[in-house]
Amino acid sequence: MSWGTELWDQFDNLEKHTQWGIEVLEKYIKFVKERTEIEINYAKQLRNLSKKYQTKKNSKEEEESKYTSCKAFQNTLNEMNDYAGQHEVISENMTSQIMVDLTRCVQEFKQERKSHFHEGRKAQQHIETCWKQLEASKRRFERDCKEADRAQQYFEKMDADINVTKADVEKARQQAQIRHQMADDSKGDYSSVLLKFNREQHEHYHTHIPAIFQKLQDMEEKRIARMGESLKTYADIDRRVIPIIGKCLDGITKSAESINEKQDSQTVIEAFKSGFEPPGDIDFEDFTQSIKRTVSDTSLTNTRSEGKTDPKVPGKSRGKLWPFIKKNKLSLKLGATPEDFSNLPPEQRRKKLQQKVDELNKDIQKEIDQRDALTKMKDVYMKNPQMGDAASVTQKLVEIGNNIEKLRVEVHKFESWLAEVEGRLPVRNDNSRRQSGLYETQNAAPVNNCVQDRESPDGSYTEDQSQETEVKVTPTEFDDDFDDEEPLPTIGTCKALYPFDGENEGTISVTEGEVLNVIEEDKGDGWTRIRRNEDEEGYVPTSYIEVYLDKNAKGAKTYI
């Protein structure tokens, strides 16, 4: 089937159809372009989402990444990042393999179509010109025939009239002959033009137009085939990334299967284990001995002597009720960590100290490696002075030696603290070491050289070793009947420079400009204990207030 033979008279419709075909191809190119934009935007959003939930360095999340569930989640985010990369690949391949190629093809099709229809119009114009020539020759022949017929009739009329002179008759005869000759010439010209037109028309409809329409047909079929190939490429581009996307999904599944709830539970134990032993039973305190009994003088005397209590022993239980202990003021210090990690429970402190020792040893090894490399370089420079100056390396070696010595001092310091925690060395009994601030024994016994005597189960410590502390238990009506504890005396006043919310346990809220009583000054931890009235007291940041201590008050420091 050929357009040239079947559609020889559909020039205009073929022109419209081929234009429509190119517009379809352009519409498909626009569709692919919008698909690439969707893919690239989707990939960008996936990358941003993955980045948003990635673990931040030097943050609490980085410490939480030791749990298998958190590791699986981070692996999932990494796989989603790779997943996004495959959508970027789809966008790039569709742009390079479809859009660029088809855009070039469209331009070629447009140029080819324009050339073919220009050639077709020229052929049409030529056949129309031949047709006009044929019509003109035909009309001329028809006109000459009519003129010859009229001249013949006029001659015959003149020849039959006896009143006409012989000269007039001869003139009419000559005119008729001339007209007949013109008619014969027009007939020959018309015949020649007709023969030429028929030949041109035959070539037009059987040679020129079929050839042009065949070219248009080939162009259209090429366009259709090219679009089919492009659609196949469109599917193949997606199909090629499916295995990689499948691997990303397999990675997510593998991460999910790697989650170990038992291991995470053990990690929680390692992260929060304090190393303390659970509290023992509380001894029964018999208060019936203080009841006066009127039995005999001897029994009364014995009762009185037995009823005397040690003034150093408090009237109510001072047992170690650790589950009910409130954090002391040092737990309020945000971001302040002692160098020896003494604010942590024994087990956690041991882990931190061991980690610090390992880090320092790694730093020492790096410095040693660098020193060895520089030493070799110095030897080379000394043997070959043209390669470099050995003196320039000497100064660097001195600096590295100093750094190694400082790091070794640090390692020794942390190893001493680590040995102290592990019980290999006795605790140094000096004021710089901290003792538990949440409990005390009933007897005024000396401080034991034991780590647990310095640390409380919730990891909080007091600043001064000699400071008296006690268990803070939620008061009840029964406790109020036996509460012999005297409130702390006022040692000065203070003025709030800034407002403080006091949302944490143990703190008290103040407003700017408020004047309150100071009952315990700053022990070096940045907090001062104040009282608003007899029942409302707590800690506020020392930097938030201006303190006016009473020099005569007991326990107030004297500043020079």
Side-chain angles (χ1 to χ4, degrees):
M1 302 296 291
S2 172
W3 287 8
T5 57
E6 304 294 335
L7 302 175
W8 61 271
D9 58 344
Q10 299 298 319
F11 186 90
D12 293 338
N13 286 332
L14 288 180
E15 187 177 19
K16 293 178 181 178
H17 176 77
T18 52
Q19 178 62 31
W20 169 83
I22 292 177
E23 290 175 355
V24 169
L25 199 57
E26 289 178 332
K27 183 186 294 184
Y28 173 66
I29 293 173
K30 185 178 179 181
F31 159 76
V32 175
K33 181 181 179 181
E34 293 184 5
R35 166 72 189 276
T36 59
E37 292 174 352
I38 291 173
E39 292 291 342
I40 200 69
N41 289 333
Y42 180 52
K44 183 178 180 181
Q45 291 176 358
L46 283 179
R47 287 192 183 279
N48 291 338
L49 181 65
S50 178
K51 182 178 179 181
K52 178 180 178 182
Y53 288 94
Q54 284 286 353
T55 300
K56 307 296 186 300
K57 291 185 178 180
N58 301 323
S59 65
K60 184 180 179 182
E61 293 180 358
E62 188 175 19
E63 185 178 350
E64 294 172 351
S65 61
K66 58 189 175 183
Y67 298 102
T68 59
S69 57
C70 294
K71 290 180 181 178
F73 179 52
Q74 291 302 316
N75 290 336
T76 299
L77 295 178
N78 294 333
E79 294 293 348
M80 289 307 299
N81 201 45
D82 296 340
Y83 185 95
Q86 297 311 306
H87 287 278
E88 291 175 343
V89 170
I90 291 176
S91 177
E92 293 172 359
N93 290 342
M94 286 188 175
T95 300
S96 61
Q97 300 178 22
I98 297 179
M99 287 179 55
V100 175
D101 191 23
L102 282 187
T103 302
R104 185 183 65 255
C105 288
V106 165
Q107 296 302 322
E108 293 175 355
F109 289 150
K110 286 183 177 180
Q111 190 64 31
E112 183 179 355
R113 175 182 175 277
K114 182 179 179 181
S115 175
H116 294 331
F117 280 104
H118 178 69
E119 186 179 353
R121 288 190 180 92
K122 284 179 64 177
Q124 282 187 332
Q125 289 176 359
H126 177 71
I127 197 66
E128 288 175 1
T129 300
C130 292
W131 171 256
K132 289 179 181 179
Q133 291 177 355
L134 177 62
E135 286 293 318
S137 177
K138 179 181 178 181
R139 286 192 299 269
R140 186 168 57 253
F141 172 58
E142 182 181 7
R143 185 180 67 247
D144 290 345
C145 288
K146 289 180 180 179
E147 290 292 333
D149 186 53
R150 282 195 298 269
Q152 183 64 30
Q153 290 178 2
Y154 180 73
F155 165 69
E156 290 176 356
K157 181 180 178 182
M158 292 292 290
D159 187 44
D161 191 355
I162 59 174
N163 297 323
V164 178
T165 63
K166 186 177 180 180
D168 291 336
V169 173
E170 184 64 21
K171 184 179 178 180
R173 186 183 64 79
Q174 291 178 356
Q175 188 67 28
Q177 289 179 350
I178 292 173
R179 291 297 179 183
H180 278 291
Q181 185 62 41
M182 291 178 63
D184 291 340
D185 293 342
S186 296
K187 181 180 179 181
D189 182 64
Y190 171 65
S191 177
S192 175
V193 172
L194 179 60
L195 182 63
K196 179 183 177 182
F197 174 78
N198 287 335
R199 186 173 64 252
E200 291 289 344
Q201 181 176 254
H202 185 274
E203 290 181 355
H204 177 78
Y205 287 112
H206 293 84
T207 303
H208 297 312
I209 289 299
I212 293 172
F213 282 8
Q214 185 61 44
K215 293 178 182 178
L216 288 172
Q217 182 178 352
D218 293 341
M219 183 198 75
E220 183 68 7
E221 290 176 355
K222 182 180 178 182
R223 177 194 67 80
I224 295 172
R226 188 68 190 82
M227 187 168 180
E229 294 173 359
S230 179
L231 289 172
K232 184 179 179 180
T233 304
Y234 179 87
D236 290 340
I237 289 173
D238 264 341
R239 187 176 291 109
R240 283 196 296 268
V241 302
I242 288 177
I244 303 177
I245 291 177
K247 290 182 180 179
C248 294
L249 298 178
D250 291 342
I252 295 175
T253 303
K254 186 177 180 181
S255 299
E257 294 173 351
S258 68
I259 295 178
N260 188 331
E261 60 275 10
K262 298 297 183 182
Q263 181 179 340
D264 283 358
S265 297
Q266 182 62 32
T267 305
V268 173
I269 294 174
E270 295 175 358
F272 301 110
K273 181 180 179 181
S274 66
F276 290 109
E277 295 293 332
D281 296 337
I282 299 176
D283 296 333
F284 176 76
E285 297 185 36
D286 190 359
F287 296 99
T288 59
Q289 296 179 0
S290 60
I291 300 176
K292 296 181 180 181
R293 293 169 294 178
T294 57
V295 178
S296 64
D297 293 340
T298 304
S299 63
L300 179 60
T301 304
N302 294 335
T303 302
R304 287 179 180 178
S305 60
E306 293 174 359
K308 293 181 180 180
T309 59
D310 189 349
K312 294 182 180 180
V313 179
K316 63 178 181 179
S317 175
R318 306 290 187 181
K320 301 179 182 179
L321 301 179
W322 290 346
F324 308 101
I325 293 176
K326 297 181 180 179
K327 292 185 178 180
N328 71 342
K329 60 182 180 179
L330 290 183
S331 64
L332 302 174
K333 295 171 64 177
L334 303 177
T337 303
E339 186 182 12
D340 60 353
F341 303 107
S342 56
N343 62 318
L344 299 175
E347 182 64 25
Q348 300 303 317
R349 184 185 178 204
R350 182 194 64 77
K351 290 173 61 178
K352 286 290 184 180
L353 289 173
Q354 185 63 55
Q355 181 180 356
K356 187 67 176 179
V357 169
D358 294 341
E359 292 175 358
L360 290 173
N361 285 329
K362 289 181 181 179
D363 293 340
I364 290 175
Q365 188 59 44
K366 289 180 181 178
E367 295 289 341
I368 292 175
D369 294 341
Q370 187 176 1
R371 182 186 64 183
D372 294 342
L374 288 176
T375 302
K376 293 179 181 179
M377 185 183 297
K378 181 180 178 181
D379 294 340
V380 173
Y381 288 169
M382 292 180 68
K383 294 178 181 179
N384 302 285
Q386 67 276 9
M387 297 183 64
D389 185 11
S392 61
V393 183
T394 304
Q395 181 62 29
K396 185 63 177 176
L397 287 172
V398 173
E399 294 178 3
I400 293 177
N402 294 334
N403 292 338
I404 292 175
E405 187 62 29
K406 291 179 182 178
L407 289 172
R408 283 174 175 169
V409 171
E410 288 292 313
V411 169
H412 179 71
K413 179 173 63 176
F414 280 97
E415 285 179 344
S416 299
W417 287 332
L418 180 60
E420 177 184 305
V421 173
E422 293 176 345
R424 295 198 299 265
L425 294 177
V427 179
R428 292 174 295 174
N429 189 13
D430 56 75
N431 292 331
S432 63
R433 311 301 293 163
R434 298 181 178 182
Q435 186 180 1
S436 171
L438 296 181
Y439 61 91
E440 66 178 6
T441 57
Q442 293 184 358
N443 297 323
V447 178
N448 269 339
N449 291 331
C450 176
V451 178
Q452 291 190 5
D453 291 335
R454 301 175 57 255
E455 299 163 332
S456 61
D458 64 346
S460 55
Y461 290 76
T462 58
E463 192 70 26
D464 192 352
Q465 186 178 4
S466 61
Q467 179 182 350
E468 290 187 1
T469 53
E470 63 183 16
V471 176
K472 296 182 179 179
V473 184
T474 304
T476 61
E477 294 181 359
F478 179 82
D479 291 335
D480 292 338
D481 296 336
F482 298 93
D483 192 359
D484 300 327
E485 184 179 3
E486 292 293 333
L488 294 175
T490 300
I491 62 174
T493 59
C494 67
K495 180 181 179 181
L497 302 176
Y498 313 99
F500 179 66
D501 294 334
E503 297 177 351
N504 293 328
E505 184 180 14
T507 61
I508 184 174
S509 59
V510 296
T511 58
E512 184 177 356
E514 185 178 2
V515 178
L516 306 102
N517 294 324
V518 177
I519 58 176
E520 185 179 352
E521 60 182 338
D522 189 353
K523 299 294 184 180
D525 55 0
W527 295 84
T528 301
R529 188 174 180 180
I530 63 173
R531 178 188 294 139
R532 179 177 284 110
N533 49 51
E534 294 298 325
D535 299 325
E536 190 175 2
E537 63 181 46
Y539 291 94
V540 296
T542 306
S543 58
Y544 278 51
I545 59 176
E546 184 175 1
V547 180
Y548 308 96
L549 294 179
D550 185 359
K551 296 182 179 179
N552 297 325
K554 182 180 179 181
K557 292 183 179 179
T558 303
Y559 297 94
I560 301 176

